[in-house]
Amino acid sequence: MLQLSAIEIFKKIKNKEVSSSEVTTEFLSQSRNTNKKLNSYLTFTEDLALKTAQIVDKKIKAGEPLRPLEGVPIAIKDNLCLEGFPATCSSKILENFVPSYNATVIEKILANNMPIIGKTNMDEFAMGSSTETSYFGVTKNPWDTACVPGGSSGGSAVSIASNQSPLALGSDTGGSIRQPASLCGIVGLKPTYGRVSRYGLIAFASSLDQIGTFSKTVEDTAHLLNIICGYDKKDSTSQNLNDEDFALSLNDSLKGIKIGIPEELFNENLNADIKNFYKPIIDKLSEEGVIFEFLKIPSFEYALATYYIIAPAEASSNLARYDGVRFGYRDSSAGTMTEMMELSRSQGFGAEVKRRILIGTYVLSSGYYDAYYKKAQQIRTLIKDDFHKAFTKYDLILSPTTPTPAFKIGEKTANPLDMYLSDIMTIPVNLAGLPGISIPCGLYNKLPMGLQLIGKEFAESKLLNVAHQFEQILDFKRNLKI
């Protein structure tokens, strides 16, 4: 049961081969048994999960029809608000914060009767590429527990890779779904900005954050996206679009599909061994009638620097609310209000969050705003324009998801710039607000590597169609036993 895809589990529940309660109990047991080794969960929501599963079992007993994925368990990243359970963002400053409302995606998951089995570990406030900055300890990669799982949604990615859950939700600000999906050998989707409501997602960088999905297969991803997408009046950036069924067009023909490969992501940022790893994969996909061509996207050269101006600037603004006054951690030893704020923030935030707040405050300060923040926004526009030009010629853009496989725990923590380079392939997608997906494509030194596909805005149907068929052709095998 634990090895099956989400849609295979759903069919077994629907056909009465197994109950939702039995499925949920099995995944909860696997999660609890392996969590001490992997540290992927911060909170288990066992009572809520079993209560939801019992609703599904009663529906089946009463002969009522089920919606796709109803009764299938799911794990939730700890920056999404679930009423009555902690939402810590893996930070000391929110250690005891319990939200009194649900995020919109949580409402949709609960309305579809999907048992939520727990909240997953992450980099503090989603700032990181390895899930090493969590206040509650490092999450470990199930392929090699000496390695990181990627970040910041490392706990959610590990929950899928280690069979703790068939589905999970995460958030992606600069690659925080696609990068850990690649390093853990699973499927990770970042939808178009505005496709999925961000209401109830604790903000890091509001113009870049996007809730997305983790799963074992692209088909599971399509069904889960059907459930969580849609207009939400509580999110001013939510887009009001016609309904689509993303699972309907997964087998459209690949013949004549044109895919561009940016030289800036394939050649300039990869060593020779990694390039040689990807070349036979592209050759194999070409045999199916897909046309691949290299192209130049000059603005990509500035994407990483642009991101590390805009994201910290927005983070410094969003995290100003954590001052010890209204909620969150408060130092009780201070003599004045100013001292209380200083001590609460200095003790409540970790080193990476402080680093980004300082960078953000600096680039927004009087005298430096034009030189850094304004210029970064201008380059962001250039990146968007370059993508639009590329999509006049190509259906999709392809690149490796990450420049390397999973690295050792502690290997990059002393060098933040080296760590930031882990997201160099994924960051341009967030700056342009486009959809991107990572699918596993093979093993390099016994560790998984991912292939990233990027689509036009709101072209998730085509993106998932091509990704699904690439997945069948590449036939990545997972044989992990945790």
Side-chain angles (χ1 to χ4, degrees), residues 284-305:
K284 188 173 183 179
L285 297 172
S286 299
E287 293 169 4
E288 302 297 322
V290 180
I291 301 164
F292 291 96
E293 291 179 0
F294 281 97
L295 77 159
K296 285 188 174 294
I297 303 186
S299 60
F300 278 8
E301 178 184 351
Y302 309 106
L304 192 70

Side-chain angles (χ1 to χ4, degrees), residues 23-29 31-32 41 43-50 72-76 82 114-120 159 163-167:
V23 169
T24 303
T25 300
E26 192 166 349
F27 277 105
L28 277 166
S29 176
S31 297
R32 287 193 180 280
Y41 283 89
T43 305
F44 287 105
T45 52
E46 187 166 349
D47 290 345
L48 173 65
L50 292 173
V72 178
I74 189 167
I76 305 293
L82 172 60
M114 298 174 69
I116 296 173
I117 58 178
K119 306 288 295 292
T120 55
S159 74
N163 301 317
Q164 294 175 332
S165 175
L167 296 165

Side-chain angles (χ1 to χ4, degrees), residues 364-379:
L364 289 176
S365 61
S366 176
Y368 297 99
Y369 179 91
D370 285 351
Y372 293 103
Y373 187 73
K374 183 179 176 182
K375 194 145 287 185
Q377 291 290 12
Q378 290 169 333
I379 294 172

